[in-house]
């Protein structure tokens, strides 16, 4: 998201250059052309004699920018170096050299260029903006936020500054303030899809899926080939309890990104939500033979139990436990699988491990208690508030399970949960 400046290069088109180089200078400074053509034109123009210092600087800067676009960052930086030797007080050159250093994986080195641009032109917002992005790359979020604030004071109508600020706030866990910054960006530029998608994801994080859904609809209308957008919209629908509609979106996301384990698990849970256990099994079984992810294996084991594939369920969950012995959900599902097959002692041992690994998790405690494990502490109902339909369904299931009302737990509408699995497993 670094900002580059090409406008000064257009000066080349109107400069009093030698007649023989006039067309080359125009081609060199024409940002509409592909970068290789511009590099060649700039090189031919630079080879001519009798260039003024200003012409030389502009041609070097233009070639450097084209090289940077081509990914030839070292050559770009070398051209910027030469131009800055000739024009050390050109803030644009420092700004663009800083961006080239970033692209070369040198964010720390870029800071000095942004510092120089600020010294040369302290009332210009872009060096503060770019320095903020570089500082973010370096993990210095507090310093980055200060630079975003400075940039906003200088240019309060630039939507991208608010986007950058919001990104840092989101990464810092401040979802509410991030949402406010995305709102400011979109108030200035309602056409920007990137901040709109990020805003929708913030709404999801804040448990406001009903507000997020139309935002995802709007962004997907112009970006139908982006798997993360389909997955996020599917999650919004899932949280609203619209499991069938969520499955459609997750399926679209999986078609676009077939190796995405998170999407595969989300699709399986959506199928569970509508009670189509076989579809959930087939969604997960395709990759379970060579799966090396504990989360994939744990969910696959759960679905195998729901479809009466008990031996497969035990094998899958044991693989999950081998990969991640401290996975409380895997231990709980192993306990249920053993209980279902009549191995009460080993089931109790696995259940007690599950409680030990997640002592404050009410869902795991309720499931483990059903197979004879002894709870050790008071627990809140769920770690997350039950303020969406999906979470409310799980909370109702856990409350019923903890009270020993298995029929109510089964009917709570959380068929994708460990709670439901426990309710249908322990008779």
């Amino acid at each position: 998201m670094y900002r580059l400046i090409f406008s000064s290069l257009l000066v080349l088109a109107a400069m009093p250059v030698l007649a023989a180089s006039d067309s080359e200078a125009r081609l060199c400074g024409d940002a509409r052309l592909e970068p290789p053509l511009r590099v060649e034109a700039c090189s031919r123009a630079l080879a001519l004699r009798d260039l003024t210092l200003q012409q030389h600087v502009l041609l070097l800067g233009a070639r450097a920018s084209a090289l940077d676009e081509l990914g030839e960052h070292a050559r770009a930086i070398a051209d910027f170096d030469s131009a800055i030797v000739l024009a050390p007080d050109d803030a644009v050159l420092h700004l663009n050299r800083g961006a080239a250093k970033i692209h070369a994986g040198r964010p720390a080195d870029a800071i000095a260029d942004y510092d120089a641009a600020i010294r040369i032109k302290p009332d210009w917002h872009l060096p503060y903006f770019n320095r903020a992005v570089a500082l973010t790359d370096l993990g210095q979020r507090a310093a980055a936020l200060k630079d975003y604030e400075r940039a906003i004071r200088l240019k309060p109508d630039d939507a991208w500054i608010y986007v950058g600020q919001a990104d840092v706030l989101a990464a810092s866990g401040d979802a509410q303030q991030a949402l406010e910054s995305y709102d400011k960006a979109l108030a200035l530029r309602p056409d920007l899809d990137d901040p709109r998608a990020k805003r929708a994801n913030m709404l999801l994080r804040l448990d406001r899926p009903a507000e997020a859904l139309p935002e995802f609809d709007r962004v997907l209308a112009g970006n139908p080939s982006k798997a993360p957008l389909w997955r996020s919209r599917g999650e919004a629908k899932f949280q609203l309890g619209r499991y069938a509609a969520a499955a459609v979106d997750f399926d679209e996301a999986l078609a676009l990104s077939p190796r995405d384990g998170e999407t595969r698990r989300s699709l399986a849970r959506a199928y569970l939500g509508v009670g189509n256990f076989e579809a959930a099994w087939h969604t997960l079984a395709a990759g379970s033979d060579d799966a090396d992810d504990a989360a994939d294996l744990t969910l696959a084991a759960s679905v195998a139990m729901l479809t009466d594939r008990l031996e497969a369920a035990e094998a899958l969950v044991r693989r999950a436990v081998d990969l991640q012995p401290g996975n409380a959900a895997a231990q709980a599902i192993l306990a249920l699988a053993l209980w279902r097959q009549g191995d009460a002692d080993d089931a109790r041992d696995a259940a007690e491990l599950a409680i030990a690994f997640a002592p404050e998790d009410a869902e795991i405690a309720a499931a483990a208690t059903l197979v004879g494990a002894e709870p050790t502490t008071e627990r809140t109902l769920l770690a997350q508030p039950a303020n969406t339909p999906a979470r409310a369904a799980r909370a109702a299931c856990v409350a019923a399970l903890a009270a020993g009302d298995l029929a109510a737990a089964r009917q709570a509408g959380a068929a994708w949960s460990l709670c439901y699995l426990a309710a249908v497993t322990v008779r």
Side-chain angles (χ1 to χ4, degrees):
M1 194 170 63
Y2 297 94
R3 306 288 283 279
L4 301 172
I5 295 296
F6 298 101
S7 58
S8 64
L9 306 181
L10 301 179
V11 176
L12 289 167
M15 281 172 45
V17 191
L18 295 175
S21 67
D22 200 37
S23 61
E24 301 297 353
R26 286 191 171 86
L27 291 173
C28 174
D30 190 345
R32 296 168 299 180
L33 295 180
E34 291 297 314
L37 296 177
R38 284 157 40 209
V39 170
E40 292 174 6
C42 292
S43 297
R44 288 192 295 267
L46 282 164
L48 295 169
R49 297 180 180 179
D50 299 325
L51 293 173
T52 67
L53 184 144
Q54 183 190 17
Q55 292 163 357
H56 204 151
V57 168
L58 287 169
L59 289 167
L60 282 169
R63 186 171 69 178
S65 295
L67 287 167
D68 193 42
E69 287 184 67
L70 279 173
E72 296 190 34
H73 308 307
R75 289 181 63 195
I77 292 168
D79 269 357
F80 281 128
D81 289 345
S82 298
I84 288 171
V85 167
L86 298 173
D89 293 332
D90 189 321
V92 170
L93 291 174
H94 284 286
L95 184 85
N96 287 350
R97 185 172 69 175
K101 288 176 180 177
I102 294 292
H103 298 153
R106 296 164 49 188
D109 293 342
I111 299 295
D113 273 310
Y114 299 137
D115 290 345
I118 289 168
R119 285 195 302 270
I120 295 163
K121 199 171 182 181
D123 293 334
W124 191 23
H125 69 289
L126 283 185
Y128 290 106
F129 177 95
N130 279 20
R131 190 171 68 178
V133 183
L135 289 167
T136 302
D137 280 358
L138 293 168
Q140 299 180 35
R141 292 174 183 163
L145 288 172
K146 288 181 181 178
D147 269 354
Y148 279 126
E149 289 293 344
R150 294 183 182 107
I152 288 169
R153 285 197 295 270
L154 292 168
K155 187 71 172 174
D157 60 348
D158 188 329
W160 286 108
I161 305 176
Y162 296 103
V163 175
Q165 180 187 53
D167 289 347
V168 176
L169 290 167
S172 301
D174 195 339
Q176 185 57 50
Q177 284 199 27
L179 183 63
E180 292 171 7
S181 291
Y182 287 132
D183 286 343
K184 291 174 183 177
L186 290 167
L188 292 165
R189 289 285 305 276
D191 60 306
L192 295 179
D193 283 341
D194 178 67
R196 189 171 299 281
K198 291 174 177 177
R199 179 181 187 275
N201 279 310
M202 282 299 100
L203 288 168
L204 268 186
R205 189 187 297 187
L206 293 167
D207 296 326
R208 294 158 62 181
E211 296 174 63
L213 194 55
E215 297 286 65
F216 284 126
D217 291 343
R218 180 168 174 174
V219 178
L220 269 170
N223 300 272
S225 62
K226 291 191 175 182
L229 291 174
W230 289 99
R231 185 175 65 241
S232 293
R233 190 174 74 169
E235 179 61 27
K237 291 177 179 178
F238 186 95
Q239 289 299 327
L240 290 168
R242 295 171 52 185
Y243 303 125
V248 173
D249 281 358
F250 291 139
D251 190 53
E252 187 70 34
L254 195 60
L256 292 167
S257 186
R259 299 182 65 84
D260 189 329
E262 181 182 349
T263 299
R264 189 174 300 279
R265 292 192 296 273
S266 294
L267 177 59
R269 290 190 185 97
Y271 282 139
L272 293 178
V274 295
N276 192 341
F277 297 166
E278 282 295 330
W281 169 251
H282 289 299
T283 297
L284 295 167
S288 64
D289 288 342
D290 58 355
D292 58 359
D293 183 280
D296 286 341
L297 292 166
T298 300
L299 182 60
S302 176
V303 176
M305 288 181 63
L306 290 170
T307 55
D308 292 320
R309 295 173 168 88
L310 301 184
E311 290 184 4
E314 184 178 348
L316 287 165
V317 76
R318 285 193 182 280
R319 283 169 57 197
V321 168
D322 287 342
L323 285 168
Q324 194 175 358
N327 186 318
Q331 291 286 354
I333 291 172
L334 176 59
L336 293 172
L338 292 168
W339 179 275
R340 182 77 175 272
Q341 295 178 86
D343 191 346
D345 291 339
D346 285 346
R348 184 172 57 253
D349 290 343
E352 288 176 350
L353 279 176
I355 289 178
F357 292 141
E360 302 301 323
D361 190 310
E363 185 173 21
I364 286 176
T369 301
L370 287 182
V371 298
E374 292 294 331
T376 57
T377 61
E378 291 286 333
R379 295 169 179 83
T380 54
L381 186 60
L382 284 174
Q384 295 174 315
N387 50 5
T388 67
R391 288 181 180 170
R394 187 174 65 165
C397 179
V398 174
L401 196 65
D405 190 344
L406 302 187
R410 288 193 292 270
Q411 294 169 6
W416 38 269
S417 68
L418 170 63
C419 174
Y420 178 86
L421 178 64
V424 299
T425 297
V426 180
R427 308 292 182 180

